[in-house]
Amino acid sequence: MPKRLNGSAGTGKKIIKNIKDFNYHYKDVEKVSGKDFYPFPWTFGDQSGTAVISLTDDGFIDQSSTLNCDTNRHDFRRPLGAYNDDTLYDVFRMMLDSQNISHK
């Protein structure tokens, strides 16, 4: 049985622990109402989704950044925000760093 993310607290820690199973790439920045959003489509086992990362005005990863699953499968039924799971900050930093996107 493949490893799966369930969209609950600690998901970021599970990703880091199983980093070889987590694949992602960067799509171009999206601007909405003057704010930059950095989308990263990802796969983990048979799951896929998109991380949407935004930065605060002073360059920190915004707590509204989310990890979204494309389908409501395997108990990952809604977006998981950094405000609900602070272990996602490490994952989001890794993603931004891979593209040399400046952040604090």
Side-chain angles (χ1 to χ4, degrees):
M1 186 159 138
K3 294 175 186 162
R4 293 191 176 109
L5 303 175
N6 62 13
S8 62
T11 294
K13 187 174 182 178
K14 184 172 186 176
I15 290 170
I16 297 297
K17 184 177 177 184
N18 297 282
I19 196 66
K20 68 183 181 313
D21 298 317
F22 186 70
N23 297 297
Y24 62 92
H25 66 278
Y26 176 62
K27 289 175 52 177
D28 288 333
V29 64
E30 297 175 8
K31 285 195 178 283
V32 177
S33 299
K35 187 166 176 105
D36 292 342
F37 292 88
Y38 303 96
F40 288 84
W42 59 266
T43 60
F44 188 90
D46 62 354
Q47 292 173 296
S48 62
T50 304
V52 180
I53 305 167
S54 61
L55 301 176
T56 63
D57 290 339
D58 51 356
F60 291 94
I61 295 172
D62 195 290
Q63 68 177 356
S64 66
S65 299
T66 59
L67 188 71
N68 310 289
C69 192
D70 287 339
T71 58
N72 293 334
R73 295 173 32 192
H74 315 299
D75 297 325
F76 199 142
R77 302 196 189 289
R78 60 189 174 103
L80 179 62
Y83 60 90
N84 283 342
D85 181 3
D86 64 357
T87 68
L88 288 176
Y89 285 107
D90 290 335
V91 175
F92 294 159
R93 278 187 207 96
M94 174 187 68
M95 293 171 142
L96 293 172
D97 289 347
S98 75
Q99 297 301 309
N100 296 316
I101 297 169
S102 181
H103 66 90
K104 295 180 184 176

